[in-house]
Structures are given as C-alpha cells and as structure tokens.
Amino acid sequence: MDFVHVELKRDTWSKPAKYVRSPEEAVTEIKKMIENFDREILISLQLASSGEVINASVCSVGSIDGACVFVGGIVRTALLSGARSVILIHNHPSGNPMASRSDLAITKKLAIACRIFNLELLDHIIIGAYDQKISLREEQEELFDPSILELKEMVAE
C-alpha cells in the first residue's frame, strides 16, 4: 500500500498582503490575469477572516463558452489553505457577463458545499468586456443561502 499526501505550493503573487472587501477589489486583483483570454478561466480566491487573500487558485480552464468545474476541488483548496471564505471569479470571452444556467448551478452547489464545511462563498463574479462585471451575490442573493433541506439533499447524493 502506498501512502499519499496533498500539498499546496504557495506562489508569491499576492505578497505584500492584499485585502478584498468588495467585489470591485476582487475584480481588480484578478481581472488583469484573465480578461483577455480566449477561453473561460475560473479562479477562486481563498480569504482569511480579515479579508486578506491567502492565495488564488485556477480551478478550471475551459472553452470559449464553458468550463468544467469540480466543486470538491475548490472546497479542498480552501480548507487546506486555512481559508474562512471563498470568492469565485471567471471571465466570459464573449464579453457578455450575463450568468448562464451553469454559472448559477455551480454557484448554488458551491454555496451548499461551503456551508457544510463551515466556509462562506462570498461572491461569484463574472467579468465581461469593457469593465463590465456581474456580482451574483448582488444579482441572485438567494443562491448564497442554502436551506437545511438543500444541505441534506447534497449530503445524501
């Protein structure tokens, strides 16, 4: 039998300390990295209770109109990082920041998974063209507050 371990490698892009207190600050930190990609890039920011960015993680590199997202990987990275909260940010290469059904579904699943592990999904921000962005927290607040029934259903799956 082989023993394995999971290890995070810390890069130094976020030093000196950066703090995120609003969707605008989160976008400022990530936009330069993903705004001109020709495919969807999904990034999660792991934050301490203070709002300090612990790290950022590329969760998915997709196609021109979608990305495959593994919710468990996002939660695992947050837990191993010692994070208290998570912000998701991704781009829409089309330039239109409107959320797709898939964007909404992933947000809901991640909010439920975060709640189970005592994490908080603070926001899911979609970046479009010409400084357009949508904060799903501002547009669809109900996605971020899973009910007890939804938690039980997810655990049962």
mmCIF file of all heavy atoms in Angstrom, residues 110-149:
data_model
loop_
_atom_site.group_PDB
_atom_site.id
_atom_site.type_symbol
_atom_site.label_atom_id
_atom_site.label_comp_id
_atom_site.label_asym_id
_atom_site.label_seq_id
_atom_site.Cartn_x
_atom_site.Cartn_y
_atom_site.Cartn_z
ATOM 1 N N LEU A 110 -21.686 25.200 -4.902
ATOM 2 C CA LEU A 110 -20.540 25.602 -4.096
ATOM 3 C C LEU A 110 -20.982 26.251 -2.790
ATOM 4 O O LEU A 110 -20.373 26.028 -1.745
ATOM 5 C CB LEU A 110 -19.610 26.531 -4.881
ATOM 6 C CG LEU A 110 -18.325 26.916 -4.153
ATOM 7 C CD1 LEU A 110 -17.511 25.685 -3.750
ATOM 8 C CD2 LEU A 110 -17.486 27.854 -4.999
ATOM 9 N N ALA A 111 -22.044 27.036 -2.823
ATOM 10 C CA ALA A 111 -22.556 27.647 -1.590
ATOM 11 C C ALA A 111 -22.973 26.565 -0.590
ATOM 12 O O ALA A 111 -22.687 26.669 0.610
ATOM 13 C CB ALA A 111 -23.734 28.569 -1.897
ATOM 14 N N ILE A 112 -23.614 25.506 -1.083
ATOM 15 C CA ILE A 112 -24.024 24.403 -0.218
ATOM 16 C C ILE A 112 -22.795 23.680 0.329
ATOM 17 O O ILE A 112 -22.699 23.423 1.533
ATOM 18 C CB ILE A 112 -24.947 23.431 -0.986
ATOM 19 C CG1 ILE A 112 -26.278 24.111 -1.289
ATOM 20 C CG2 ILE A 112 -25.163 22.147 -0.196
ATOM 21 C CD1 ILE A 112 -27.154 23.355 -2.286
ATOM 22 N N ALA A 113 -21.845 23.356 -0.538
ATOM 23 C CA ALA A 113 -20.637 22.658 -0.101
ATOM 24 C C ALA A 113 -19.849 23.485 0.915
ATOM 25 O O ALA A 113 -19.359 22.954 1.912
ATOM 26 C CB ALA A 113 -19.760 22.321 -1.302
ATOM 27 N N CYS A 114 -19.752 24.774 0.664
ATOM 28 C CA CYS A 114 -19.044 25.651 1.611
ATOM 29 C C CYS A 114 -19.731 25.638 2.970
ATOM 30 O O CYS A 114 -19.065 25.544 4.010
ATOM 31 C CB CYS A 114 -18.963 27.070 1.065
ATOM 32 S SG CYS A 114 -17.719 27.302 -0.219
ATOM 33 N N ARG A 115 -21.057 25.711 2.985
ATOM 34 C CA ARG A 115 -21.807 25.724 4.244
ATOM 35 C C ARG A 115 -21.527 24.451 5.042
ATOM 36 O O ARG A 115 -21.352 24.493 6.257
ATOM 37 C CB ARG A 115 -23.296 25.865 3.947
ATOM 38 C CG ARG A 115 -24.210 25.825 5.141
ATOM 39 C CD ARG A 115 -24.143 27.053 6.044
ATOM 40 N NE ARG A 115 -24.472 28.268 5.385
ATOM 41 C CZ ARG A 115 -25.687 28.805 5.320
ATOM 42 N NH1 ARG A 115 -26.702 28.197 5.866
ATOM 43 N NH2 ARG A 115 -25.869 29.942 4.703
ATOM 44 N N ILE A 116 -21.475 23.296 4.355
ATOM 45 C CA ILE A 116 -21.225 22.023 5.028
ATOM 46 C C ILE A 116 -19.877 22.050 5.743
ATOM 47 O O ILE A 116 -19.736 21.522 6.844
ATOM 48 C CB ILE A 116 -21.287 20.857 4.016
ATOM 49 C CG1 ILE A 116 -22.737 20.654 3.555
ATOM 50 C CG2 ILE A 116 -20.721 19.564 4.620
ATOM 51 C CD1 ILE A 116 -22.887 19.720 2.371
ATOM 52 N N PHE A 117 -18.885 22.697 5.138
ATOM 53 C CA PHE A 117 -17.533 22.717 5.701
ATOM 54 C C PHE A 117 -17.207 24.005 6.447
ATOM 55 O O PHE A 117 -16.042 24.325 6.673
ATOM 56 C CB PHE A 117 -16.498 22.452 4.598
ATOM 57 C CG PHE A 117 -16.535 21.038 4.116
ATOM 58 C CD1 PHE A 117 -17.216 20.705 2.960
ATOM 59 C CD2 PHE A 117 -15.915 20.042 4.843
ATOM 60 C CE1 PHE A 117 -17.265 19.394 2.522
ATOM 61 C CE2 PHE A 117 -15.953 18.721 4.413
ATOM 62 C CZ PHE A 117 -16.634 18.394 3.246
ATOM 63 N N ASN A 118 -18.216 24.746 6.830
ATOM 64 C CA ASN A 118 -18.047 25.969 7.619
ATOM 65 C C ASN A 118 -17.201 27.016 6.907
ATOM 66 O O ASN A 118 -16.415 27.728 7.515
ATOM 67 C CB ASN A 118 -17.463 25.651 9.000
ATOM 68 C CG ASN A 118 -17.746 26.761 9.991
ATOM 69 O OD1 ASN A 118 -18.746 27.470 9.876
ATOM 70 N ND2 ASN A 118 -16.869 26.934 10.954
ATOM 71 N N LEU A 119 -17.363 27.074 5.594
ATOM 72 C CA LEU A 119 -16.758 28.119 4.777
ATOM 73 C C LEU A 119 -17.889 29.013 4.283
ATOM 74 O O LEU A 119 -19.054 28.628 4.332
ATOM 75 C CB LEU A 119 -16.041 27.523 3.563
ATOM 76 C CG LEU A 119 -14.856 26.616 3.829
ATOM 77 C CD1 LEU A 119 -14.506 25.829 2.575
ATOM 78 C CD2 LEU A 119 -13.666 27.424 4.301
ATOM 79 N N GLU A 120 -17.548 30.172 3.778
ATOM 80 C CA GLU A 120 -18.563 31.047 3.203
ATOM 81 C C GLU A 120 -18.182 31.401 1.774
ATOM 82 O O GLU A 120 -17.056 31.810 1.505
ATOM 83 C CB GLU A 120 -18.693 32.337 4.015
ATOM 84 C CG GLU A 120 -19.791 33.235 3.502
ATOM 85 C CD GLU A 120 -19.950 34.517 4.308
ATOM 86 O OE1 GLU A 120 -19.160 34.764 5.236
ATOM 87 O OE2 GLU A 120 -20.872 35.271 3.987
ATOM 88 N N LEU A 121 -19.124 31.199 0.865
ATOM 89 C CA LEU A 121 -18.943 31.668 -0.502
ATOM 90 C C LEU A 121 -19.390 33.122 -0.509
ATOM 91 O O LEU A 121 -20.577 33.412 -0.389
ATOM 92 C CB LEU A 121 -19.757 30.833 -1.490
ATOM 93 C CG LEU A 121 -19.678 31.280 -2.950
ATOM 94 C CD1 LEU A 121 -18.240 31.255 -3.460
ATOM 95 C CD2 LEU A 121 -20.576 30.413 -3.818
ATOM 96 N N LEU A 122 -18.435 34.036 -0.604
ATOM 97 C CA LEU A 122 -18.754 35.460 -0.529
ATOM 98 C C LEU A 122 -19.371 35.981 -1.816
ATOM 99 O O LEU A 122 -20.261 36.829 -1.778
ATOM 100 C CB LEU A 122 -17.506 36.276 -0.205
ATOM 101 C CG LEU A 122 -16.908 36.064 1.174
ATOM 102 C CD1 LEU A 122 -15.637 36.894 1.332
ATOM 103 C CD2 LEU A 122 -17.907 36.398 2.259
ATOM 104 N N ASP A 123 -18.883 35.496 -2.964
ATOM 105 C CA ASP A 123 -19.411 36.004 -4.231
ATOM 106 C C ASP A 123 -18.929 35.118 -5.367
ATOM 107 O O ASP A 123 -17.981 34.346 -5.214
ATOM 108 C CB ASP A 123 -18.944 37.449 -4.475
ATOM 109 C CG ASP A 123 -19.912 38.256 -5.332
ATOM 110 O OD1 ASP A 123 -20.735 37.653 -6.058
ATOM 111 O OD2 ASP A 123 -19.842 39.494 -5.275
ATOM 112 N N HIS A 124 -19.601 35.226 -6.481
ATOM 113 C CA HIS A 124 -19.166 34.645 -7.756
ATOM 114 C C HIS A 124 -19.312 35.781 -8.753
ATOM 115 O O HIS A 124 -20.416 36.256 -9.002
ATOM 116 C CB HIS A 124 -20.039 33.450 -8.133
ATOM 117 C CG HIS A 124 -19.611 32.796 -9.411
ATOM 118 N ND1 HIS A 124 -20.181 31.630 -9.834
ATOM 119 C CD2 HIS A 124 -18.687 33.112 -10.359
ATOM 120 C CE1 HIS A 124 -19.634 31.252 -10.987
ATOM 121 N NE2 HIS A 124 -18.724 32.156 -11.323
ATOM 122 N N ILE A 125 -18.190 36.227 -9.279
ATOM 123 C CA ILE A 125 -18.163 37.403 -10.144
ATOM 124 C C ILE A 125 -17.814 36.967 -11.563
ATOM 125 O O ILE A 125 -16.884 36.193 -11.767
ATOM 126 C CB ILE A 125 -17.126 38.428 -9.631
ATOM 127 C CG1 ILE A 125 -17.472 38.837 -8.202
ATOM 128 C CG2 ILE A 125 -17.051 39.631 -10.565
ATOM 129 C CD1 ILE A 125 -16.358 39.541 -7.473
ATOM 130 N N ILE A 126 -18.577 37.483 -12.506
ATOM 131 C CA ILE A 126 -18.325 37.186 -13.913
ATOM 132 C C ILE A 126 -17.843 38.466 -14.584
ATOM 133 O O ILE A 126 -18.490 39.509 -14.494
ATOM 134 C CB ILE A 126 -19.588 36.660 -14.608
ATOM 135 C CG1 ILE A 126 -20.112 35.429 -13.866
ATOM 136 C CG2 ILE A 126 -19.302 36.345 -16.073
ATOM 137 C CD1 ILE A 126 -21.478 34.966 -14.314
ATOM 138 N N ILE A 127 -16.702 38.357 -15.255
ATOM 139 C CA ILE A 127 -16.095 39.508 -15.919
ATOM 140 C C ILE A 127 -16.392 39.435 -17.416
ATOM 141 O O ILE A 127 -16.172 38.403 -18.044
ATOM 142 C CB ILE A 127 -14.570 39.518 -15.700
ATOM 143 C CG1 ILE A 127 -14.255 39.662 -14.212
ATOM 144 C CG2 ILE A 127 -13.908 40.624 -16.504
ATOM 145 C CD1 ILE A 127 -12.785 39.489 -13.886
ATOM 146 N N GLY A 128 -16.879 40.537 -17.949
ATOM 147 C CA GLY A 128 -17.127 40.651 -19.384
ATOM 148 C C GLY A 128 -16.148 41.639 -19.999
ATOM 149 O O GLY A 128 -15.074 41.897 -19.458
ATOM 150 N N ALA A 129 -16.549 42.222 -21.105
ATOM 151 C CA ALA A 129 -15.703 43.197 -21.797
ATOM 152 C C ALA A 129 -15.963 44.611 -21.272
ATOM 153 O O ALA A 129 -17.002 44.880 -20.674
ATOM 154 C CB ALA A 129 -15.980 43.145 -23.296
ATOM 155 N N TYR A 130 -15.025 45.498 -21.523
ATOM 156 C CA TYR A 130 -15.186 46.933 -21.235
ATOM 157 C C TYR A 130 -15.574 47.201 -19.790
ATOM 158 O O TYR A 130 -16.506 47.934 -19.499
ATOM 159 C CB TYR A 130 -16.214 47.559 -22.183
ATOM 160 C CG TYR A 130 -15.929 47.266 -23.627
ATOM 161 C CD1 TYR A 130 -16.769 46.438 -24.354
ATOM 162 C CD2 TYR A 130 -14.798 47.783 -24.255
ATOM 163 C CE1 TYR A 130 -16.500 46.147 -25.683
ATOM 164 C CE2 TYR A 130 -14.527 47.493 -25.577
ATOM 165 C CZ TYR A 130 -15.374 46.684 -26.284
ATOM 166 O OH TYR A 130 -15.105 46.381 -27.590
ATOM 167 N N ASP A 131 -14.867 46.577 -18.884
ATOM 168 C CA ASP A 131 -15.087 46.770 -17.447
ATOM 169 C C ASP A 131 -16.477 46.356 -16.977
ATOM 170 O O ASP A 131 -16.927 46.779 -15.912
ATOM 171 C CB ASP A 131 -14.808 48.220 -17.035
ATOM 172 C CG ASP A 131 -13.335 48.564 -17.130
ATOM 173 O OD1 ASP A 131 -12.505 47.661 -16.920
ATOM 174 O OD2 ASP A 131 -13.013 49.725 -17.429
ATOM 175 N N GLN A 132 -17.171 45.541 -17.758
ATOM 176 C CA GLN A 132 -18.460 45.020 -17.310
ATOM 177 C C GLN A 132 -18.215 43.825 -16.402
ATOM 178 O O GLN A 132 -17.335 43.011 -16.651
ATOM 179 C CB GLN A 132 -19.314 44.573 -18.494
ATOM 180 C CG GLN A 132 -19.770 45.689 -19.385
ATOM 181 C CD GLN A 132 -20.609 45.132 -20.530
ATOM 182 O OE1 GLN A 132 -20.384 44.036 -21.022
ATOM 183 N NE2 GLN A 132 -21.605 45.903 -20.929
ATOM 184 N N LYS A 133 -19.007 43.728 -15.365
ATOM 185 C CA LYS A 133 -18.940 42.576 -14.471
ATOM 186 C C LYS A 133 -20.295 42.401 -13.813
ATOM 187 O O LYS A 133 -21.094 43.337 -13.734
ATOM 188 C CB LYS A 133 -17.861 42.750 -13.418
ATOM 189 C CG LYS A 133 -18.187 43.818 -12.397
ATOM 190 C CD LYS A 133 -17.156 43.867 -11.313
ATOM 191 C CE LYS A 133 -17.413 44.905 -10.270
ATOM 192 N NZ LYS A 133 -18.350 45.947 -10.521
ATOM 193 N N ILE A 134 -20.536 41.192 -13.386
ATOM 194 C CA ILE A 134 -21.755 40.896 -12.640
ATOM 195 C C ILE A 134 -21.349 40.188 -11.357
ATOM 196 O O ILE A 134 -20.580 39.226 -11.389
ATOM 197 C CB ILE A 134 -22.719 40.016 -13.448
ATOM 198 C CG1 ILE A 134 -23.355 40.840 -14.554
ATOM 199 C CG2 ILE A 134 -23.789 39.405 -12.565
ATOM 200 C CD1 ILE A 134 -24.368 40.101 -15.380
ATOM 201 N N SER A 135 -21.861 40.667 -10.246
ATOM 202 C CA SER A 135 -21.710 40.003 -8.965
ATOM 203 C C SER A 135 -22.980 39.178 -8.750
ATOM 204 O O SER A 135 -24.076 39.739 -8.637
ATOM 205 C CB SER A 135 -21.563 41.043 -7.851
ATOM 206 O OG SER A 135 -21.871 40.461 -6.599
ATOM 207 N N LEU A 136 -22.830 37.858 -8.720
ATOM 208 C CA LEU A 136 -24.013 37.027 -8.495
ATOM 209 C C LEU A 136 -24.561 37.227 -7.086
ATOM 210 O O LEU A 136 -25.750 37.023 -6.861
ATOM 211 C CB LEU A 136 -23.702 35.555 -8.769
ATOM 212 C CG LEU A 136 -23.447 35.226 -10.245
ATOM 213 C CD1 LEU A 136 -23.183 33.747 -10.430
ATOM 214 C CD2 LEU A 136 -24.598 35.672 -11.120
ATOM 215 N N ARG A 137 -23.729 37.626 -6.153
ATOM 216 C CA ARG A 137 -24.212 37.939 -4.793
ATOM 217 C C ARG A 137 -25.203 39.103 -4.865
ATOM 218 O O ARG A 137 -26.233 39.091 -4.213
ATOM 219 C CB ARG A 137 -23.042 38.269 -3.886
ATOM 220 C CG ARG A 137 -23.383 38.873 -2.552
ATOM 221 C CD ARG A 137 -23.970 37.934 -1.554
ATOM 222 N NE ARG A 137 -23.006 37.030 -0.997
ATOM 223 C CZ ARG A 137 -23.308 36.142 -0.053
ATOM 224 N NH1 ARG A 137 -24.523 36.077 0.439
ATOM 225 N NH2 ARG A 137 -22.400 35.316 0.387
ATOM 226 N N GLU A 138 -24.883 40.101 -5.671
ATOM 227 C CA GLU A 138 -25.764 41.264 -5.797
ATOM 228 C C GLU A 138 -26.993 40.964 -6.648
ATOM 229 O O GLU A 138 -28.071 41.483 -6.384
ATOM 230 C CB GLU A 138 -24.990 42.434 -6.400
ATOM 231 C CG GLU A 138 -23.909 42.970 -5.480
ATOM 232 C CD GLU A 138 -23.012 44.011 -6.139
ATOM 233 O OE1 GLU A 138 -23.241 44.364 -7.318
ATOM 234 O OE2 GLU A 138 -22.072 44.464 -5.470
ATOM 235 N N GLU A 139 -26.828 40.120 -7.671
ATOM 236 C CA GLU A 139 -27.917 39.836 -8.609
ATOM 237 C C GLU A 139 -28.834 38.706 -8.149
ATOM 238 O O GLU A 139 -30.019 38.716 -8.468
ATOM 239 C CB GLU A 139 -27.335 39.453 -9.985
ATOM 240 C CG GLU A 139 -26.497 40.533 -10.619
ATOM 241 C CD GLU A 139 -27.317 41.625 -11.247
ATOM 242 O OE1 GLU A 139 -28.401 41.317 -11.783
ATOM 243 O OE2 GLU A 139 -26.887 42.788 -11.192
ATOM 244 N N GLN A 140 -28.280 37.702 -7.460
ATOM 245 C CA GLN A 140 -29.033 36.487 -7.106
ATOM 246 C C GLN A 140 -28.685 36.047 -5.682
ATOM 247 O O GLN A 140 -28.187 34.948 -5.471
ATOM 248 C CB GLN A 140 -28.692 35.366 -8.088
ATOM 249 C CG GLN A 140 -28.904 35.700 -9.523
ATOM 250 C CD GLN A 140 -30.102 34.983 -10.102
ATOM 251 O OE1 GLN A 140 -30.641 34.063 -9.516
ATOM 252 N NE2 GLN A 140 -30.512 35.419 -11.263
ATOM 253 N N GLU A 141 -28.967 36.878 -4.719
ATOM 254 C CA GLU A 141 -28.620 36.640 -3.314
ATOM 255 C C GLU A 141 -29.087 35.267 -2.820
ATOM 256 O O GLU A 141 -28.412 34.619 -2.021
ATOM 257 C CB GLU A 141 -29.226 37.746 -2.447
ATOM 258 C CG GLU A 141 -29.030 37.567 -0.961
ATOM 259 C CD GLU A 141 -27.609 37.792 -0.492
ATOM 260 O OE1 GLU A 141 -26.897 38.592 -1.107
ATOM 261 O OE2 GLU A 141 -27.208 37.156 0.506
ATOM 262 N N GLU A 142 -30.216 34.789 -3.327
ATOM 263 C CA GLU A 142 -30.778 33.521 -2.844
ATOM 264 C C GLU A 142 -29.864 32.322 -3.132
ATOM 265 O O GLU A 142 -29.947 31.298 -2.450
ATOM 266 C CB GLU A 142 -32.174 33.275 -3.441
ATOM 267 C CG GLU A 142 -32.197 33.047 -4.935
ATOM 268 C CD GLU A 142 -32.176 34.309 -5.797
ATOM 269 O OE1 GLU A 142 -32.080 35.434 -5.253
ATOM 270 O OE2 GLU A 142 -32.265 34.167 -7.026
ATOM 271 N N LEU A 143 -28.977 32.430 -4.096
ATOM 272 C CA LEU A 143 -28.046 31.337 -4.398
ATOM 273 C C LEU A 143 -27.071 31.080 -3.253
ATOM 274 O O LEU A 143 -26.535 29.984 -3.112
ATOM 275 C CB LEU A 143 -27.220 31.656 -5.655
ATOM 276 C CG LEU A 143 -27.951 31.752 -6.978
ATOM 277 C CD1 LEU A 143 -27.002 32.238 -8.059
ATOM 278 C CD2 LEU A 143 -28.561 30.419 -7.352
ATOM 279 N N PHE A 144 -26.840 32.080 -2.441
ATOM 280 C CA PHE A 144 -25.798 32.023 -1.423
ATOM 281 C C PHE A 144 -26.307 31.616 -0.043
ATOM 282 O O PHE A 144 -25.536 31.563 0.901
ATOM 283 C CB PHE A 144 -25.095 33.383 -1.331
ATOM 284 C CG PHE A 144 -24.342 33.718 -2.589
ATOM 285 C CD1 PHE A 144 -24.990 34.258 -3.686
ATOM 286 C CD2 PHE A 144 -22.991 33.459 -2.684
ATOM 287 C CE1 PHE A 144 -24.306 34.544 -4.856
ATOM 288 C CE2 PHE A 144 -22.298 33.741 -3.844
ATOM 289 C CZ PHE A 144 -22.956 34.277 -4.934
ATOM 290 N N ASP A 145 -27.594 31.327 0.071
ATOM 291 C CA ASP A 145 -28.179 30.988 1.365
ATOM 292 C C ASP A 145 -28.919 29.661 1.273
ATOM 293 O O ASP A 145 -30.146 29.633 1.220
ATOM 294 C CB ASP A 145 -29.118 32.101 1.819
ATOM 295 C CG ASP A 145 -29.569 31.910 3.255
ATOM 296 O OD1 ASP A 145 -28.869 31.227 4.018
ATOM 297 O OD2 ASP A 145 -30.641 32.433 3.602
ATOM 298 N N PRO A 146 -28.162 28.549 1.227
ATOM 299 C CA PRO A 146 -28.819 27.256 1.095
ATOM 300 C C PRO A 146 -29.658 26.909 2.315
ATOM 301 O O PRO A 146 -29.283 27.217 3.446
ATOM 302 C CB PRO A 146 -27.658 26.274 0.926
ATOM 303 C CG PRO A 146 -26.467 26.963 1.472
ATOM 304 C CD PRO A 146 -26.721 28.437 1.319
ATOM 305 N N SER A 147 -30.784 26.279 2.059
ATOM 306 C CA SER A 147 -31.668 25.856 3.146
ATOM 307 C C SER A 147 -31.164 24.537 3.729
ATOM 308 O O SER A 147 -30.349 23.841 3.132
ATOM 309 C CB SER A 147 -33.091 25.666 2.619
ATOM 310 O OG SER A 147 -33.136 24.534 1.762
ATOM 311 N N ILE A 148 -31.679 24.187 4.883
ATOM 312 C CA ILE A 148 -31.326 22.925 5.526
ATOM 313 C C ILE A 148 -31.699 21.755 4.623
ATOM 314 O O ILE A 148 -30.964 20.787 4.496
ATOM 315 C CB ILE A 148 -32.032 22.803 6.889
ATOM 316 C CG1 ILE A 148 -31.539 23.898 7.850
ATOM 317 C CG2 ILE A 148 -31.827 21.425 7.493
ATOM 318 C CD1 ILE A 148 -30.057 23.871 8.124
ATOM 319 N N LEU A 149 -32.834 21.847 3.934
ATOM 320 C CA LEU A 149 -33.268 20.796 3.033
ATOM 321 C C LEU A 149 -32.255 20.592 1.903
ATOM 322 O O LEU A 149 -31.901 19.462 1.563
ATOM 323 C CB LEU A 149 -34.648 21.118 2.452
ATOM 324 C CG LEU A 149 -35.235 20.084 1.493
ATOM 325 C CD1 LEU A 149 -35.368 18.733 2.180
ATOM 326 C CD2 LEU A 149 -36.582 20.550 0.977
#
